[in-house]
Amino acid sequence: MDRSRRGRRVLITAVGGTVLAAGIVLMPLPGPGTLIVAGGLSILSREYPAAGRVLDRVKRLGRNRPGVAAVGTDHDEPA
């Protein structure tokens, strides 16, 4: 593996790992934690096929649970 290829792999690993870690930390909080995790996996999948497989599984889980994003958004119920 030449230097530029190795440098690219290190950069992708660092950026993807940081984004993935941030998404995991944000998962229990309200907000886009799952989307950030998917973004980190997407970055990592450029160099690591296993990350692409995990990303595909996350996408499938999201398609099978369409109501998850709508939880807590019903504004018609009295407080």
Side-chain angles (χ1 to χ4, degrees):
M1 188 180 310
D2 64 342
R3 278 183 118 184
S4 64
R5 174 86 171 125
R6 192 173 351 164
R8 180 177 182 266
R9 186 176 180 117
V10 167
L11 182 64
I12 287 175
T13 301
V15 172
T18 301
V19 172
L20 179 64
I24 290 170
V25 168
L26 294 174
M27 288 289 283
L29 302 174
T34 306
L35 292 175
I36 295 171
V37 167
L41 288 171
S42 177
I43 294 168
L44 289 171
S45 70
R46 297 178 63 90
E47 287 292 325
Y48 301 101
R53 290 189 296 271
V54 173
L55 180 60
D56 290 341
R57 186 174 177 143
V58 168
K59 287 179 184 178
R60 270 186 310 211
L61 288 172
R63 274 188 242 124
N64 292 337
R65 301 181 65 192
V68 172
V71 171
T73 60
D74 189 9
H75 298 289
D76 296 332
E77 291 184 30

Short mmCIF file of all heavy atoms in Angstrom, two decimals:
data_model
loop_
_atom_site.label_atom_id
_atom_site.label_comp_id
_atom_site.label_asym_id
_atom_site.label_seq_id
_atom_site.Cartn_x
_atom_site.Cartn_y
_atom_site.Cartn_z
N MET A 1 0.85 -1.17 0.00
CA MET A 1 0.00 0.00 0.00
C MET A 1 0.90 1.24 0.00
O MET A 1 1.77 1.38 0.85
CB MET A 1 -0.88 -0.03 1.26
CG MET A 1 -1.93 1.02 1.27
SD MET A 1 -3.04 1.06 2.71
CE MET A 1 -3.60 -0.57 2.92
N ASP A 2 0.72 2.13 -0.95
CA ASP A 2 1.57 3.31 -1.01
C ASP A 2 1.13 4.36 0.01
O ASP A 2 0.10 4.23 0.65
CB ASP A 2 1.59 3.89 -2.42
CG ASP A 2 0.24 4.39 -2.88
OD1 ASP A 2 -0.77 4.01 -2.28
OD2 ASP A 2 0.21 5.18 -3.84
N ARG A 3 1.95 5.39 0.16
CA ARG A 3 1.73 6.40 1.20
C ARG A 3 0.41 7.14 1.04
O ARG A 3 -0.29 7.38 2.02
CB ARG A 3 2.86 7.41 1.19
CG ARG A 3 4.06 6.97 1.93
CD ARG A 3 5.07 8.06 1.90
NE ARG A 3 5.31 8.47 3.27
CZ ARG A 3 6.08 9.45 3.61
NH1 ARG A 3 6.67 10.16 2.68
NH2 ARG A 3 6.29 9.73 4.86
N SER A 4 0.07 7.55 -0.18
CA SER A 4 -1.16 8.33 -0.37
C SER A 4 -2.40 7.49 -0.07
O SER A 4 -3.36 7.99 0.52
CB SER A 4 -1.23 8.89 -1.78
OG SER A 4 -1.30 7.86 -2.73
N ARG A 5 -2.36 6.24 -0.45
CA ARG A 5 -3.49 5.34 -0.16
C ARG A 5 -3.63 5.13 1.34
O ARG A 5 -4.73 5.14 1.88
CB ARG A 5 -3.25 4.01 -0.87
CG ARG A 5 -4.25 2.95 -0.55
CD ARG A 5 -5.46 3.07 -1.45
NE ARG A 5 -6.30 1.92 -1.25
CZ ARG A 5 -7.57 2.00 -0.93
NH1 ARG A 5 -8.14 3.16 -0.83
NH2 ARG A 5 -8.27 0.92 -0.75
N ARG A 6 -2.52 4.95 2.02
CA ARG A 6 -2.53 4.75 3.46
C ARG A 6 -3.01 6.01 4.17
O ARG A 6 -3.80 5.95 5.11
CB ARG A 6 -1.15 4.37 3.96
CG ARG A 6 -1.14 3.86 5.35
CD ARG A 6 0.20 3.34 5.77
NE ARG A 6 1.11 3.26 4.63
CZ ARG A 6 2.41 3.13 4.71
NH1 ARG A 6 2.99 3.05 5.87
NH2 ARG A 6 3.15 3.06 3.64
N GLY A 7 -2.55 7.17 3.70
CA GLY A 7 -2.99 8.44 4.28
C GLY A 7 -4.48 8.65 4.11
O GLY A 7 -5.17 9.13 5.02
N ARG A 8 -5.00 8.30 2.93
CA ARG A 8 -6.43 8.43 2.66
C ARG A 8 -7.22 7.52 3.60
O ARG A 8 -8.25 7.92 4.15
CB ARG A 8 -6.72 8.06 1.21
CG ARG A 8 -8.17 8.17 0.84
CD ARG A 8 -8.35 7.85 -0.66
NE ARG A 8 -9.73 7.98 -1.04
CZ ARG A 8 -10.60 6.97 -1.06
NH1 ARG A 8 -10.20 5.76 -0.73
NH2 ARG A 8 -11.85 7.17 -1.42
N ARG A 9 -6.73 6.30 3.78
CA ARG A 9 -7.42 5.35 4.65
C ARG A 9 -7.43 5.84 6.10
O ARG A 9 -8.44 5.75 6.79
CB ARG A 9 -6.77 3.99 4.56
CG ARG A 9 -7.52 2.92 5.32
CD ARG A 9 -6.88 1.56 5.11
NE ARG A 9 -7.59 0.55 5.84
CZ ARG A 9 -8.22 -0.47 5.30
NH1 ARG A 9 -8.22 -0.63 4.00
NH2 ARG A 9 -8.85 -1.34 6.05
N VAL A 10 -6.32 6.39 6.55
CA VAL A 10 -6.24 6.93 7.91
C VAL A 10 -7.21 8.10 8.06
O VAL A 10 -7.93 8.20 9.08
CB VAL A 10 -4.79 7.35 8.25
CG1 VAL A 10 -4.73 8.19 9.52
CG2 VAL A 10 -3.90 6.13 8.37
N LEU A 11 -7.26 8.99 7.08
CA LEU A 11 -8.16 10.14 7.14
C LEU A 11 -9.62 9.70 7.17
O LEU A 11 -10.40 10.19 7.99
CB LEU A 11 -7.90 11.06 5.95
CG LEU A 11 -8.75 12.33 5.90
CD1 LEU A 11 -8.43 13.22 7.09
CD2 LEU A 11 -8.52 13.07 4.59
N ILE A 12 -9.99 8.77 6.30
CA ILE A 12 -11.37 8.28 6.27
C ILE A 12 -11.72 7.59 7.59
O ILE A 12 -12.81 7.77 8.13
CB ILE A 12 -11.58 7.34 5.07
CG1 ILE A 12 -11.63 8.18 3.80
CG2 ILE A 12 -12.86 6.51 5.21
CD1 ILE A 12 -11.71 7.39 2.52
N THR A 13 -10.79 6.82 8.13
CA THR A 13 -11.03 6.15 9.41
C THR A 13 -11.22 7.16 10.53
O THR A 13 -12.14 7.02 11.35
CB THR A 13 -9.86 5.21 9.74
OG1 THR A 13 -9.74 4.25 8.68
CG2 THR A 13 -10.09 4.48 11.05
N ALA A 14 -10.39 8.20 10.56
CA ALA A 14 -10.49 9.20 11.62
C ALA A 14 -11.80 9.99 11.52
O ALA A 14 -12.51 10.16 12.52
CB ALA A 14 -9.30 10.14 11.57
N VAL A 15 -12.12 10.46 10.33
CA VAL A 15 -13.34 11.26 10.16
C VAL A 15 -14.58 10.40 10.37
O VAL A 15 -15.49 10.77 11.12
CB VAL A 15 -13.36 11.92 8.76
CG1 VAL A 15 -14.70 12.58 8.49
CG2 VAL A 15 -12.23 12.94 8.65
N GLY A 16 -14.63 9.24 9.74
CA GLY A 16 -15.78 8.35 9.89
C GLY A 16 -15.97 7.88 11.32
O GLY A 16 -17.08 7.83 11.83
N GLY A 17 -14.87 7.54 11.97
CA GLY A 17 -14.95 7.10 13.37
C GLY A 17 -15.42 8.21 14.29
O GLY A 17 -16.21 7.96 15.21
N THR A 18 -14.97 9.43 14.05
CA THR A 18 -15.41 10.57 14.86
C THR A 18 -16.90 10.83 14.67
O THR A 18 -17.64 11.04 15.65
CB THR A 18 -14.59 11.82 14.50
OG1 THR A 18 -13.21 11.55 14.73
CG2 THR A 18 -15.02 13.01 15.33
N VAL A 19 -17.36 10.83 13.43
CA VAL A 19 -18.79 11.06 13.15
C VAL A 19 -19.62 9.93 13.76
O VAL A 19 -20.66 10.18 14.39
CB VAL A 19 -19.03 11.19 11.63
CG1 VAL A 19 -20.51 11.23 11.31
CG2 VAL A 19 -18.33 12.43 11.09
N LEU A 20 -19.17 8.70 13.61
CA LEU A 20 -19.88 7.56 14.17
C LEU A 20 -19.96 7.67 15.70
O LEU A 20 -21.03 7.48 16.29
CB LEU A 20 -19.20 6.26 13.77
CG LEU A 20 -19.80 4.96 14.29
CD1 LEU A 20 -21.22 4.76 13.75
CD2 LEU A 20 -18.92 3.79 13.91
N ALA A 21 -18.85 7.99 16.34
CA ALA A 21 -18.83 8.13 17.80
C ALA A 21 -19.76 9.24 18.27
O ALA A 21 -20.49 9.09 19.26
CB ALA A 21 -17.41 8.38 18.29
N ALA A 22 -19.76 10.36 17.56
CA ALA A 22 -20.66 11.46 17.91
C ALA A 22 -22.12 11.03 17.80
O ALA A 22 -22.95 11.35 18.66
CB ALA A 22 -20.40 12.67 17.02
N GLY A 23 -22.44 10.28 16.76
CA GLY A 23 -23.81 9.79 16.59
C GLY A 23 -24.22 8.84 17.71
O GLY A 23 -25.34 8.90 18.20
N ILE A 24 -23.30 7.98 18.12
CA ILE A 24 -23.60 7.05 19.20
C ILE A 24 -23.85 7.80 20.50
O ILE A 24 -24.77 7.49 21.25
CB ILE A 24 -22.48 6.00 19.34
CG1 ILE A 24 -22.50 5.06 18.14
CG2 ILE A 24 -22.61 5.22 20.65
CD1 ILE A 24 -21.31 4.14 18.03
N VAL A 25 -23.04 8.82 20.76
CA VAL A 25 -23.22 9.63 21.97
C VAL A 25 -24.57 10.35 21.94
O VAL A 25 -25.25 10.48 22.96
CB VAL A 25 -22.06 10.65 22.13
CG1 VAL A 25 -22.36 11.68 23.19
CG2 VAL A 25 -20.77 9.91 22.44
N LEU A 26 -25.00 10.79 20.76
CA LEU A 26 -26.24 11.54 20.63
C LEU A 26 -27.49 10.65 20.54
O LEU A 26 -28.60 11.18 20.57
CB LEU A 26 -26.17 12.44 19.40
CG LEU A 26 -25.15 13.57 19.48
CD1 LEU A 26 -25.08 14.30 18.14
CD2 LEU A 26 -25.51 14.54 20.59
N MET A 27 -27.33 9.35 20.44
CA MET A 27 -28.49 8.46 20.29
C MET A 27 -29.55 8.63 21.39
O MET A 27 -30.73 8.69 21.07
CB MET A 27 -28.05 7.00 20.22
CG MET A 27 -27.36 6.64 18.94
SD MET A 27 -28.42 6.58 17.53
CE MET A 27 -29.21 5.02 17.81
N PRO A 28 -29.19 8.71 22.67
CA PRO A 28 -30.25 8.81 23.68
C PRO A 28 -30.90 10.20 23.75
O PRO A 28 -31.95 10.36 24.38
CB PRO A 28 -29.53 8.49 24.99
CG PRO A 28 -28.09 8.71 24.74
CD PRO A 28 -27.88 8.51 23.27
N LEU A 29 -30.32 11.19 23.13
CA LEU A 29 -30.86 12.54 23.16
C LEU A 29 -31.82 12.75 22.00
O LEU A 29 -31.70 12.11 20.97
CB LEU A 29 -29.72 13.55 23.07
CG LEU A 29 -28.66 13.48 24.16
CD1 LEU A 29 -27.52 14.44 23.85
CD2 LEU A 29 -29.26 13.78 25.51
N PRO A 30 -32.77 13.67 22.17
CA PRO A 30 -33.63 13.97 21.02
C PRO A 30 -32.80 14.63 19.93
O PRO A 30 -31.97 15.49 20.20
CB PRO A 30 -34.67 14.94 21.58
CG PRO A 30 -34.21 15.33 22.92
CD PRO A 30 -33.11 14.42 23.34
N GLY A 31 -33.01 14.21 18.74
CA GLY A 31 -32.24 14.78 17.63
C GLY A 31 -31.84 13.71 16.64
O GLY A 31 -32.30 12.57 16.69
N PRO A 32 -30.95 14.06 15.75
CA PRO A 32 -30.61 13.17 14.62
C PRO A 32 -29.48 12.19 14.90
O PRO A 32 -28.62 11.97 14.05
CB PRO A 32 -30.21 14.18 13.55
CG PRO A 32 -29.55 15.27 14.32
CD PRO A 32 -30.37 15.38 15.61
N GLY A 33 -29.44 11.57 16.06
CA GLY A 33 -28.36 10.63 16.38
C GLY A 33 -28.25 9.50 15.39
O GLY A 33 -27.16 9.14 14.95
N THR A 34 -29.38 8.93 15.00
CA THR A 34 -29.38 7.81 14.06
C THR A 34 -28.85 8.23 12.69
O THR A 34 -28.09 7.50 12.05
CB THR A 34 -30.79 7.23 13.91
OG1 THR A 34 -31.28 6.90 15.20
CG2 THR A 34 -30.80 5.99 13.04
N LEU A 35 -29.22 9.43 12.26
CA LEU A 35 -28.73 9.92 10.97
C LEU A 35 -27.22 10.17 11.01
O LEU A 35 -26.52 9.91 10.03
CB LEU A 35 -29.45 11.20 10.58
CG LEU A 35 -30.92 11.05 10.24
CD1 LEU A 35 -31.55 12.41 9.99
CD2 LEU A 35 -31.12 10.16 9.05
N ILE A 36 -26.73 10.64 12.14
CA ILE A 36 -25.29 10.87 12.27
C ILE A 36 -24.54 9.54 12.27
O ILE A 36 -23.48 9.42 11.65
CB ILE A 36 -24.99 11.71 13.53
CG1 ILE A 36 -25.61 13.10 13.36
CG2 ILE A 36 -23.50 11.80 13.78
CD1 ILE A 36 -25.56 13.96 14.60
N VAL A 37 -25.10 8.53 12.94
CA VAL A 37 -24.49 7.19 12.90
C VAL A 37 -24.45 6.68 11.46
O VAL A 37 -23.42 6.17 11.01
CB VAL A 37 -25.26 6.21 13.81
CG1 VAL A 37 -24.85 4.77 13.55
CG2 VAL A 37 -25.05 6.56 15.28
N ALA A 38 -25.54 6.85 10.74
CA ALA A 38 -25.58 6.41 9.34
C ALA A 38 -24.55 7.17 8.50
O ALA A 38 -23.90 6.59 7.63
CB ALA A 38 -26.98 6.60 8.76
N GLY A 39 -24.37 8.45 8.78
CA GLY A 39 -23.36 9.23 8.07
C GLY A 39 -21.95 8.71 8.34
O GLY A 39 -21.14 8.60 7.43
N GLY A 40 -21.67 8.41 9.60
CA GLY A 40 -20.36 7.86 9.95
C GLY A 40 -20.11 6.52 9.27
O GLY A 40 -19.02 6.26 8.75
N LEU A 41 -21.14 5.67 9.26
CA LEU A 41 -21.01 4.38 8.59
C LEU A 41 -20.81 4.55 7.09
O LEU A 41 -20.05 3.81 6.46
CB LEU A 41 -22.24 3.51 8.87
CG LEU A 41 -22.35 2.96 10.29
CD1 LEU A 41 -23.72 2.32 10.48
CD2 LEU A 41 -21.24 1.96 10.57
N SER A 42 -21.49 5.55 6.53
CA SER A 42 -21.34 5.81 5.11
C SER A 42 -19.91 6.23 4.77
O SER A 42 -19.35 5.78 3.77
CB SER A 42 -22.33 6.91 4.70
OG SER A 42 -22.18 7.23 3.35
N ILE A 43 -19.34 7.07 5.60
CA ILE A 43 -17.95 7.48 5.38
C ILE A 43 -17.02 6.28 5.50
O ILE A 43 -16.14 6.06 4.66
CB ILE A 43 -17.56 8.59 6.38
CG1 ILE A 43 -18.36 9.87 6.11
CG2 ILE A 43 -16.06 8.86 6.32
CD1 ILE A 43 -18.26 10.91 7.21
N LEU A 44 -17.21 5.49 6.55
CA LEU A 44 -16.34 4.33 6.78
C LEU A 44 -16.49 3.27 5.69
O LEU A 44 -15.55 2.54 5.38
CB LEU A 44 -16.63 3.71 8.15
CG LEU A 44 -16.17 4.54 9.34
CD1 LEU A 44 -16.70 3.93 10.63
CD2 LEU A 44 -14.66 4.63 9.38
N SER A 45 -17.67 3.18 5.09
CA SER A 45 -17.91 2.15 4.08
C SER A 45 -17.08 2.38 2.81
O SER A 45 -16.92 1.47 2.01
CB SER A 45 -19.39 2.06 3.73
OG SER A 45 -19.80 3.21 3.00
N ARG A 46 -16.52 3.57 2.66
CA ARG A 46 -15.64 3.82 1.50
C ARG A 46 -14.37 3.00 1.57
O ARG A 46 -13.75 2.71 0.56
CB ARG A 46 -15.32 5.31 1.41
CG ARG A 46 -16.55 6.16 1.17
CD ARG A 46 -16.20 7.63 1.12
NE ARG A 46 -15.32 7.95 0.03
CZ ARG A 46 -15.71 8.31 -1.20
NH1 ARG A 46 -17.00 8.38 -1.46
NH2 ARG A 46 -14.83 8.60 -2.13
N GLU A 47 -13.96 2.61 2.78
CA GLU A 47 -12.74 1.83 2.96
C GLU A 47 -12.98 0.46 3.58
O GLU A 47 -12.14 -0.42 3.46
CB GLU A 47 -11.74 2.58 3.84
CG GLU A 47 -11.07 3.75 3.15
CD GLU A 47 -10.12 3.32 2.04
OE1 GLU A 47 -9.48 2.26 2.16
OE2 GLU A 47 -10.05 4.05 1.04
N TYR A 48 -14.08 0.30 4.28
CA TYR A 48 -14.33 -0.93 5.02
C TYR A 48 -15.66 -1.56 4.58
O TYR A 48 -16.73 -1.03 4.90
CB TYR A 48 -14.38 -0.65 6.53
CG TYR A 48 -13.10 -0.05 7.06
CD1 TYR A 48 -13.01 1.31 7.30
CD2 TYR A 48 -11.98 -0.84 7.29
CE1 TYR A 48 -11.83 1.87 7.77
CE2 TYR A 48 -10.81 -0.30 7.77
CZ TYR A 48 -10.74 1.06 8.01
OH TYR A 48 -9.58 1.61 8.48
N PRO A 49 -15.62 -2.66 3.87
CA PRO A 49 -16.86 -3.32 3.42
C PRO A 49 -17.79 -3.69 4.57
O PRO A 49 -19.02 -3.66 4.42
CB PRO A 49 -16.37 -4.56 2.68
CG PRO A 49 -14.97 -4.25 2.29
CD PRO A 49 -14.43 -3.35 3.36
N ALA A 50 -17.26 -4.02 5.72
CA ALA A 50 -18.10 -4.39 6.87
C ALA A 50 -18.97 -3.21 7.29
O ALA A 50 -20.13 -3.40 7.67
CB ALA A 50 -17.24 -4.86 8.04
N ALA A 51 -18.45 -2.00 7.22
CA ALA A 51 -19.24 -0.82 7.57
C ALA A 51 -20.39 -0.65 6.59
O ALA A 51 -21.50 -0.25 6.97
CB ALA A 51 -18.36 0.43 7.59
N GLY A 52 -20.17 -0.98 5.33
CA GLY A 52 -21.24 -0.92 4.33
C GLY A 52 -22.33 -1.93 4.62
O GLY A 52 -23.52 -1.63 4.46
N ARG A 53 -21.94 -3.11 5.09
CA ARG A 53 -22.95 -4.12 5.43
C ARG A 53 -23.77 -3.68 6.63
O ARG A 53 -24.99 -3.85 6.65
CB ARG A 53 -22.27 -5.46 5.69
CG ARG A 53 -21.70 -6.09 4.43
CD ARG A 53 -21.23 -7.52 4.66
NE ARG A 53 -20.13 -7.62 5.59
CZ ARG A 53 -18.85 -7.56 5.26
NH1 ARG A 53 -18.50 -7.38 4.00
NH2 ARG A 53 -17.90 -7.70 6.17
N VAL A 54 -23.12 -3.08 7.62
CA VAL A 54 -23.85 -2.58 8.79
C VAL A 54 -24.78 -1.45 8.36
O VAL A 54 -25.93 -1.37 8.81
CB VAL A 54 -22.88 -2.11 9.90
CG1 VAL A 54 -23.63 -1.42 11.03
CG2 VAL A 54 -22.06 -3.28 10.43
N LEU A 55 -24.32 -0.57 7.50
CA LEU A 55 -25.16 0.53 7.00
C LEU A 55 -26.39 -0.01 6.28
O LEU A 55 -27.50 0.49 6.47
CB LEU A 55 -24.35 1.43 6.08
CG LEU A 55 -25.09 2.62 5.48
CD1 LEU A 55 -25.61 3.55 6.56
CD2 LEU A 55 -24.17 3.38 4.52
N ASP A 56 -26.22 -1.04 5.46
CA ASP A 56 -27.37 -1.66 4.78
C ASP A 56 -28.37 -2.20 5.79
O ASP A 56 -29.58 -2.06 5.61
CB ASP A 56 -26.91 -2.79 3.86
CG ASP A 56 -26.17 -2.28 2.64
OD1 ASP A 56 -26.31 -1.07 2.30
OD2 ASP A 56 -25.43 -3.07 2.04
N ARG A 57 -27.87 -2.79 6.85
CA ARG A 57 -28.77 -3.33 7.88
C ARG A 57 -29.51 -2.20 8.60
O ARG A 57 -30.71 -2.31 8.85
CB ARG A 57 -27.97 -4.15 8.88
CG ARG A 57 -28.84 -4.84 9.87
CD ARG A 57 -28.04 -5.76 10.75
NE ARG A 57 -28.94 -6.33 11.73
CZ ARG A 57 -28.87 -7.55 12.16
NH1 ARG A 57 -27.94 -8.35 11.72
NH2 ARG A 57 -29.72 -7.99 13.05
N VAL A 58 -28.83 -1.11 8.89
CA VAL A 58 -29.47 0.05 9.53
C VAL A 58 -30.56 0.61 8.62
O VAL A 58 -31.66 0.95 9.07
CB VAL A 58 -28.43 1.13 9.88
CG1 VAL A 58 -29.08 2.43 10.28
CG2 VAL A 58 -27.52 0.64 11.00
N LYS A 59 -30.28 0.68 7.33
CA LYS A 59 -31.27 1.17 6.37
C LYS A 59 -32.51 0.27 6.36
O LYS A 59 -33.64 0.75 6.33
CB LYS A 59 -30.68 1.24 4.97
CG LYS A 59 -29.71 2.37 4.77
CD LYS A 59 -29.17 2.32 3.36
CE LYS A 59 -28.13 3.35 3.09
NZ LYS A 59 -27.58 3.25 1.73
N ARG A 60 -32.27 -1.06 6.36
CA ARG A 60 -33.41 -1.99 6.36
C ARG A 60 -34.23 -1.84 7.63
O ARG A 60 -35.46 -1.87 7.58
CB ARG A 60 -32.92 -3.43 6.24
CG ARG A 60 -32.82 -3.90 4.81
CD ARG A 60 -32.48 -5.34 4.81
NE ARG A 60 -31.34 -5.41 5.73
CZ ARG A 60 -30.34 -6.27 5.69
NH1 ARG A 60 -30.34 -7.18 4.86
NH2 ARG A 60 -29.35 -6.23 6.51
N LEU A 61 -33.58 -1.70 8.76
CA LEU A 61 -34.31 -1.53 10.02
C LEU A 61 -35.13 -0.26 9.99
O LEU A 61 -36.25 -0.22 10.51
CB LEU A 61 -33.33 -1.50 11.21
CG LEU A 61 -32.69 -2.83 11.56
CD1 LEU A 61 -31.61 -2.61 12.62
CD2 LEU A 61 -33.72 -3.82 12.06
N GLY A 62 -34.60 0.79 9.40
CA GLY A 62 -35.33 2.06 9.30
C GLY A 62 -36.55 1.93 8.40
O GLY A 62 -37.60 2.51 8.69
N ARG A 63 -36.44 1.16 7.33
CA ARG A 63 -37.59 0.98 6.44
C ARG A 63 -38.68 0.14 7.08
O ARG A 63 -39.84 0.31 6.79
CB ARG A 63 -37.13 0.31 5.14
CG ARG A 63 -36.65 1.30 4.14
CD ARG A 63 -36.39 0.64 2.81
NE ARG A 63 -34.96 0.83 2.55
CZ ARG A 63 -34.10 -0.13 2.32
NH1 ARG A 63 -34.48 -1.36 2.25
NH2 ARG A 63 -32.83 0.14 2.11
N ASN A 64 -38.28 -0.79 7.95
CA ASN A 64 -39.27 -1.66 8.60
C ASN A 64 -40.00 -0.98 9.75
O ASN A 64 -40.96 -1.51 10.26
CB ASN A 64 -38.58 -2.93 9.11
CG ASN A 64 -38.10 -3.80 7.98
OD1 ASN A 64 -38.60 -3.72 6.88
ND2 ASN A 64 -37.12 -4.63 8.26
N ARG A 65 -39.52 0.18 10.19
CA ARG A 65 -40.13 0.88 11.32
C ARG A 65 -40.43 2.31 10.93
O ARG A 65 -39.84 3.25 11.46
CB ARG A 65 -39.19 0.83 12.51
CG ARG A 65 -38.89 -0.61 12.92
CD ARG A 65 -37.99 -0.67 14.09
NE ARG A 65 -38.68 -0.09 15.24
CZ ARG A 65 -38.10 0.21 16.38
NH1 ARG A 65 -36.82 0.00 16.53
NH2 ARG A 65 -38.77 0.72 17.37
N PRO A 66 -41.37 2.54 10.01
CA PRO A 66 -41.61 3.90 9.52
C PRO A 66 -42.19 4.85 10.56
O PRO A 66 -42.03 6.04 10.46
CB PRO A 66 -42.59 3.69 8.37
CG PRO A 66 -43.26 2.40 8.67
CD PRO A 66 -42.23 1.56 9.37
N GLY A 67 -42.86 4.35 11.59
CA GLY A 67 -43.47 5.22 12.59
C GLY A 67 -42.51 5.71 13.65
O GLY A 67 -42.85 6.57 14.45
N VAL A 68 -41.31 5.22 13.67
CA VAL A 68 -40.36 5.59 14.72
C VAL A 68 -40.05 7.07 14.68
O VAL A 68 -39.99 7.73 15.71
CB VAL A 68 -39.06 4.75 14.61
CG1 VAL A 68 -38.00 5.26 15.55
CG2 VAL A 68 -39.38 3.30 14.88
N ALA A 69 -39.90 7.63 13.51
CA ALA A 69 -39.56 9.05 13.40
C ALA A 69 -40.70 9.93 13.89
O ALA A 69 -40.49 11.06 14.29
CB ALA A 69 -39.21 9.40 11.97
N ALA A 70 -41.93 9.42 13.87
CA ALA A 70 -43.08 10.23 14.23
C ALA A 70 -43.43 10.13 15.72
O ALA A 70 -44.33 10.81 16.18
CB ALA A 70 -44.28 9.79 13.41
N VAL A 71 -42.72 9.33 16.48
CA VAL A 71 -43.02 9.19 17.90
C VAL A 71 -42.83 10.51 18.60
O VAL A 71 -41.83 11.19 18.46
CB VAL A 71 -42.12 8.11 18.55
CG1 VAL A 71 -42.28 8.09 20.05
CG2 VAL A 71 -42.44 6.75 17.97
N GLY A 72 -43.85 10.91 19.37
CA GLY A 72 -43.76 12.14 20.14
C GLY A 72 -44.06 13.40 19.35
O GLY A 72 -43.87 14.49 19.85
N THR A 73 -44.58 13.28 18.14
CA THR A 73 -44.85 14.46 17.34
C THR A 73 -46.34 14.74 17.19
O THR A 73 -46.72 15.61 16.45
CB THR A 73 -44.23 14.33 15.93
OG1 THR A 73 -44.82 13.18 15.29
CG2 THR A 73 -42.73 14.19 16.00
N ASP A 74 -47.17 14.02 17.92
CA ASP A 74 -48.61 14.24 17.83
C ASP A 74 -48.98 15.45 18.68
O ASP A 74 -49.04 15.40 19.89
CB ASP A 74 -49.35 12.99 18.29
CG ASP A 74 -50.84 13.09 18.01
OD1 ASP A 74 -51.27 14.03 17.32
OD2 ASP A 74 -51.57 12.20 18.47
N HIS A 75 -49.26 16.58 18.03
CA HIS A 75 -49.53 17.83 18.74
C HIS A 75 -51.01 18.01 19.06
O HIS A 75 -51.38 18.98 19.70
CB HIS A 75 -49.04 19.02 17.92
CG HIS A 75 -47.57 18.99 17.68
ND1 HIS A 75 -46.65 19.22 18.68
CD2 HIS A 75 -46.84 18.73 16.56
CE1 HIS A 75 -45.43 19.12 18.20
NE2 HIS A 75 -45.51 18.82 16.91
N ASP A 76 -51.87 17.11 18.60
CA ASP A 76 -53.30 17.23 18.83
C ASP A 76 -53.74 16.77 20.20
O ASP A 76 -54.83 17.11 20.64
CB ASP A 76 -54.09 16.47 17.76
CG ASP A 76 -53.87 17.06 16.37
OD1 ASP A 76 -53.58 18.29 16.30
OD2 ASP A 76 -53.97 16.32 15.40
N GLU A 77 -52.93 15.98 20.88
CA GLU A 77 -53.32 15.48 22.19
C GLU A 77 -53.15 16.57 23.25
O GLU A 77 -52.22 17.35 23.20
CB GLU A 77 -52.44 14.28 22.59
CG GLU A 77 -52.71 13.06 21.75
CD GLU A 77 -51.90 11.89 22.25
OE1 GLU A 77 -51.60 11.82 23.46
OE2 GLU A 77 -51.57 11.02 21.43
N PRO A 78 -54.10 16.64 24.20
CA PRO A 78 -53.97 17.64 25.26
C PRO A 78 -52.78 17.34 26.17
O PRO A 78 -52.45 16.18 26.37
CB PRO A 78 -55.28 17.54 26.03
CG PRO A 78 -55.88 16.23 25.65
CD PRO A 78 -55.30 15.85 24.32
N ALA A 79 -52.17 18.37 26.67
CA ALA A 79 -51.00 18.19 27.52
C ALA A 79 -51.36 17.77 28.93
O ALA A 79 -52.35 18.00 29.46
CB ALA A 79 -50.19 19.48 27.57
#
